[in-house]
Amino acid sequence: MRRIFLAGLILAAGAGIVAAQDDAAIEESRYNTRYSVAVIDDATFYGNASTPIPKTLNQVLLEPTFSVKYLSRWTFSTSVVGTETAYKDNVAQVRVKETYAGLSAADFDLMAGRKMVRWGAGYAFTSAGVLDPPRVPTDPGDRLNLNEGRDMVKVDWVRGSHAISAAWSTAELAREGMIVRDTTAFRYNVLVHGFDMSLMAGNDRGGDSFGAVTFTRVVGQAWEVHGETTWREREALLIGAKYTTPNGITFIGEFYTPPNIAYYRSISMSPLAGRQHYGFLNAGKTRLRELPGWKEWDVSGSVVTNFDDRSYVAIVDASRWFGTHFSTYVHLEVPGGKRRSEYGAAPYATATSLGIRFHL
């Protein structure tokens, strides 16, 4: 009798464990969560400064991210970065990069909150990315990842190869110092004969209306070409290409010409300078060689130039991983050109950044 009771108890316990595992599996299928934490200590050293500026800039960054999806319909995501900067003074601040909630129903996706939206097709430049975070051509990779999204309500409709987006972004919640306006924008995206094309239109409150066309086309297995044309008071044009060699070296080149209006003008550019013409060339490789001690290295080099005043910035990046959580890097910028040119006006001859990154 005891054996029968014990056998029944074991079977009941086993059934309970199986049921608990099934419940856990069901619960896990309902919720899909992701999280990460990154810590960066970055020190920049300025060489041969032409003005009495501090020669060292040190920044410590802490960036936690978290996202959850429920029943493949409801989503919530947040990304915050805290920085402590030591330059002329010690300054600590917290930036909310993204915090938004979304709902997917049938062919519609609704999102409200602060989110990174990238509508532009360029790597170093963009004229059509009306809701994109700012792109600094001398630092196209945004190596410290400090860009913030726009506060908006956006709805997307997707069916087959067609997608329509409508967004309204407010400037009321933007961090002090960000130059943004209330923006209403629409985008139609379609895939036609291998061309990923987008048509955009919108208006900045208190400013002019705008329209844009972008395209991206993959040619074979090695080439990708892209371009943008935008009308905002006057036309802006971007054309570029990316090529990847069989051994994994990637080349990116872009030509960009914006009108000299307030929306596009650099802070170091005169309103009388006229239309500007820029070039960008990058060559880089991840996993330098498929050999121990080499595959942990990533290297790249870039040149950004202003063809009109013949100024330029040369950029070199190198990083190395130690295990799966730690990496170190070197970032070097060397500006050149006449003292009153766009890039030659930099108050230093070199800017060398050394950093260590922890990622979990």
Side-chain angles (χ1 to χ4, degrees), residues 183-194:
T183 302
T184 303
F186 301 91
R187 177 177 182 255
Y188 170 62
N189 177 255
V190 63
L191 186 64
V192 181
H193 300 297

Side-chain angles (χ1 to χ4, degrees), residues 71-88:
L71 294 178
S72 298
R73 295 184 59 190
W74 297 91
T75 60
F76 174 80
S77 180
T78 183
S79 175
V80 179
V81 58
T83 65
E84 184 173 352
T85 303
Y87 191 48
K88 295 180 180 179

Side-chain angles (χ1 to χ4, degrees), residues 7 12 40 48-49 83 98 108 150 157 170 195 240 243 260 283 296 308 325 353 357:
I40 301 175
N48 298 326
T83 65
E98 288 189 319
F108 291 90
R150 295 282 301 271
W157 176 83
T170 177
F195 283 87
Y243 173 72
N260 189 13
E296 295 86 358
D308 295 276
H325 299 298
S353 300
R357 179 188 294 109

Side-chain angles (χ1 to χ4, degrees), residues 220-269:
Q221 296 183 350
W223 283 94
E224 176 259 307
V225 294
H226 58 273
E228 301 176 357
T229 180
T230 305
W231 179 268
R232 187 188 288 264
E233 296 186 35
R234 297 178 183 176
E235 71 282 356
L237 177 67
L238 165 74
I239 189 72
K242 181 172 74 171
Y243 173 72
T244 304
T245 65
N247 60 356
I249 301 176
T250 300
F251 295 91
I252 302 174
E254 288 185 341
F255 172 78
Y256 176 56
T257 173
N260 189 13
I261 62 175
Y263 183 83
Y264 296 111
R265 186 184 305 125
S266 167
I267 58 174
S268 60
M269 186 64 58

Side-chain angles (χ1 to χ4, degrees), residues 45 96 113 134 136 192 237 287 311:
F45 304 92
V96 180
V136 181
V192 181
L237 177 67
R287 299 173 67 93
S311 63

Side-chain angles (χ1 to χ4, degrees), residues 205-224:
R205 184 178 180 182
D208 294 325
S209 298
F210 54 83
V213 179
T214 71
F215 77 90
T216 302
R217 177 71 159 88
V218 176
V219 182
Q221 296 183 350
W223 283 94
E224 176 259 307

